Amino acid sequence: FIGSPAMNLVATRLENRDGRYVVPFGRSQIVLPPALLERCAGLAGYAGGEILLGIRPEDITDGAESVDSDGIVSVVVARTESLGSELVVYFEPERAEADADTPENGALTSVDVLGKPKATPLTARLGRGASMQEGSIGRLALDLDHLYFFDRASGAAIT
């Protein structure tokens, strides 16, 4: 969790849909590639249960530049901060109007390192040419090879 900005931690669920493992991310779905499941062999045991998803801000790119759709998520851009060589984007997952604030309905909760809900948005470190506008819906691409998973109850890494 060291770094600035720190790793994003999101309380969500792991779902098994016809043999494919999926993590809901607001209105979006993150389909986990088989190579990731091989690397994190213990992850399959969490199917149907709550997990913490860890995403480092530097492992997120502008979705407009991505050709792979599996790691694309729809977000609401809360704020942007230009640092010259990069653009820091603060965002929340886009949610359906009817979503209740529960992982079962695809809604997410940003959490701290102890798994406690926090009010601050998620963070991405993008290239300075990223096309993100404050208050708009944007698309971000997650590097699926660099996702981290933690047990929701204990906080232990799932490997």
Side-chain angles (χ1 to χ4, degrees):
F1 310 112
I2 297 172
S4 180
M7 179 187 285
N8 299 298
L9 290 174
V10 178
T12 187
R13 296 182 61 80
L14 177 65
E15 299 175 359
N16 184 340
R17 296 187 186 160
D18 299 322
R20 295 177 60 188
Y21 289 90
V22 176
V23 176
F25 194 88
R27 293 182 89 159
S28 305
Q29 305 291 317
I30 303 167
V31 178
L32 304 182
L36 186 141
L37 294 166
E38 289 175 19
R39 182 175 49 104
C40 296
L43 189 58
Y46 286 83
E50 294 184 13
I51 60 169
L52 294 179
L53 170 65
I55 311 164
R56 293 195 183 279
E58 59 271 17
D59 293 331
I60 303 171
T61 57
D62 187 345
E65 301 170 0
S66 180
V67 295
D68 183 13
S69 64
D70 284 343
I72 300 289
V73 293
S74 182
V75 301
V76 177
V77 179
R79 184 168 53 102
T80 62
E81 182 178 353
S82 177
L83 301 179
S85 63
E86 65 184 12
L87 181 70
V88 177
V89 176
Y90 301 91
F91 66 93
E92 295 289 340
E94 183 185 13
R95 301 176 193 217
E97 291 292 324
D99 278 351
D101 238 0
T102 62
E104 293 83 12
N105 291 329
L108 299 173
T109 304
S110 179
V111 295
D112 64 17
V113 294
L114 300 174
K116 305 289 184 203
K118 66 177 188 173
T120 57
L122 302 171
T123 310
R125 291 174 60 184
L126 308 179
R128 67 178 172 198
S131 60
M132 297 286 138
Q133 300 292 324
E134 290 182 13
S136 68
I137 304 295
R139 291 169 32 101
L140 293 175
L142 309 180
D143 183 342
L144 299 180
D145 292 328
H146 291 96
L147 297 179
Y148 300 87
F149 303 93
F150 303 92
D151 181 276
R152 176 83 162 113
S154 70
I158 301 170
T159 57

